[in-house]
Amino acid sequence: MSDQNDGKLNRLLAGLTDTGVVSSRWLRAHGYYSSLLARYVASGWLVSPARGVYMRKGGSLQWEGVVRTLQQAEGLSLHVGGRFALAWLGHEHYLRLGEAAVITLYGPERMPGWVCKLPLVERVDYCGKGPFDLPVIPLIDETTDQALLNQGLERREAVPSGVLVCSTPERAMLELCAEASDAAGVYEVDALMQGMATLRPQRLEMLLRHCHSIKAKRLFLALAERHGHAWFSHLSVNGLNLGLGKRSLVPGGRLHPKYQIVLPGDLDEQLG
């Protein structure tokens, strides 16, 4: 290879972690054309785990590296949220025991098609924008921690891939409430709520006021009040839009008199 191409290869490899991937789109934008990539692959520097994406030869394909690539190199506002963000915080013992891990990503932009073609142990699910009307911000390293917290987001270390942006526990719980659509979903949220003793009421108030899902807000408040955590007494919901009329998540359930949402009648038995 020419010295120029050697330099380009060195820059590319220096920017790739052992778990990172890089897309053909990014490579083309930075002057790495198909013929050059074919040479890198033939020479044993790169491998292609799926069409349209490359990684270091000998690297270890991991979900953390993939999400890091989406947030940083691809510049997509996709964060780890909902169910998997809570599991990552250490609550996985509540979440669908025995199932393979599912990485739940939220944001206004869909994932590139190559993500679902990667031979990952975990499945990656795009869950949509989520239940909030907050403005979209970039999830790159240059965005401040405070700007992320203003969205209910935070950085979390994912060794050896680097730092990823994910939902705070408060945002992840509301995202999970928005996903709940049956009795099993309510049981899951209720079991998790039991352990949420350290949620921050000020952050919750902000998120609740920016949440456009009436169901998510009513379910969250009904289950939070049920478990009687200390932070709930400091949560102000005056003026919060909770909609009109009843909401039902389960047929033949029990209507919560305050929040007008029908919940399973056997919540106490399910919690054990």
Side-chain angles (χ1 to χ4, degrees), residues 66-67 70 74 76 78 103-117 120 123-128:
V66 174
V67 174
L70 295 175
E74 297 295 304
L76 298 175
L78 290 170
I103 316 303
T104 44
L105 297 183
Y106 291 79
E109 302 157 298
R110 295 191 68 86
M111 302 182 301
W114 52 259
V115 175
C116 293
K117 298 175 183 176
L120 290 165
R123 189 173 87 245
V124 183
D125 273 2
Y126 173 63
C127 300

Side-chain angles (χ1 to χ4, degrees), residues 12-232:
L12 176 59
L13 294 177
L16 275 174
T17 66
D18 287 337
T19 66
V21 296
V22 61
S23 71
S24 297
R25 184 208 63 80
W26 186 95
L27 289 162
R28 285 194 302 272
H30 290 80
Y32 295 89
Y33 299 107
S34 298
S35 58
L36 192 55
L37 293 174
R39 242 188 292 175
Y40 292 165
V41 172
S43 300
W45 293 107
L46 297 177
V47 294
S48 179
R51 184 176 176 84
V53 64
Y54 295 84
M55 64 184 302
R56 281 175 178 267
K57 180 70 176 291
S60 174
L61 185 63
Q62 296 181 22
W63 72 265
E64 296 96 326
V66 174
V67 174
R68 172 81 180 169
T69 294
L70 295 175
Q71 293 180 349
Q72 300 299 319
E74 297 295 304
L76 298 175
S77 295
L78 290 170
H79 66 272
V80 180
R83 181 174 291 107
F84 191 79
L86 294 165
W88 196 11
L89 278 167
H91 300 285
E92 69 273 5
H93 52 289
Y94 288 118
L95 298 176
R96 302 189 180 190
L97 296 178
E99 288 189 6
V102 178
I103 316 303
T104 44
L105 297 183
Y106 291 79
E109 302 157 298
R110 295 191 68 86
M111 302 182 301
W114 52 259
V115 175
C116 293
K117 298 175 183 176
L118 292 171
L120 290 165
V121 174
E122 304 84 3
R123 189 173 87 245
V124 183
D125 273 2
Y126 173 63
C127 300
K129 185 180 178 181
F132 301 102
D133 60 10
L134 291 158
V136 178
I137 61 171
L139 306 184
I140 55 178
D141 290 339
E142 290 73 20
T143 300
T144 66
D145 288 346
Q146 188 58 54
L148 292 173
L149 286 174
N150 291 342
Q151 306 273 323
L153 300 171
E154 62 185 356
R155 290 188 167 94
R156 200 173 303 165
E157 188 71 35
V159 177
S161 302
V163 174
L164 305 182
V165 176
C166 64
S167 293
T168 60
E170 295 84 4
R171 178 165 180 153
M173 283 296 293
L174 281 164
E175 287 167 338
L176 191 59
C177 284
E179 295 290 328
S181 59
D182 55 17
V186 177
Y187 298 148
E188 184 177 46
V189 176
D190 190 54
L192 280 160
M193 190 68 79
Q194 184 185 30
M196 294 292 156
T198 59
L199 297 186
R200 286 148 288 200
Q202 186 174 10
R203 186 171 300 157
L204 276 170
E205 286 178 25
M206 180 274 292
L207 289 168
L208 284 165
R209 295 186 190 284
H210 282 281
C211 180
H212 55 69
S213 170
I214 299 299
K215 175 193 74 174
K217 289 185 283 192
R218 291 190 192 186
L219 179 59
F220 180 90
L221 292 170
L223 297 182
E225 186 174 88
R226 160 180 157 78
H227 288 288
H229 293 306
W231 52 262
F232 188 79

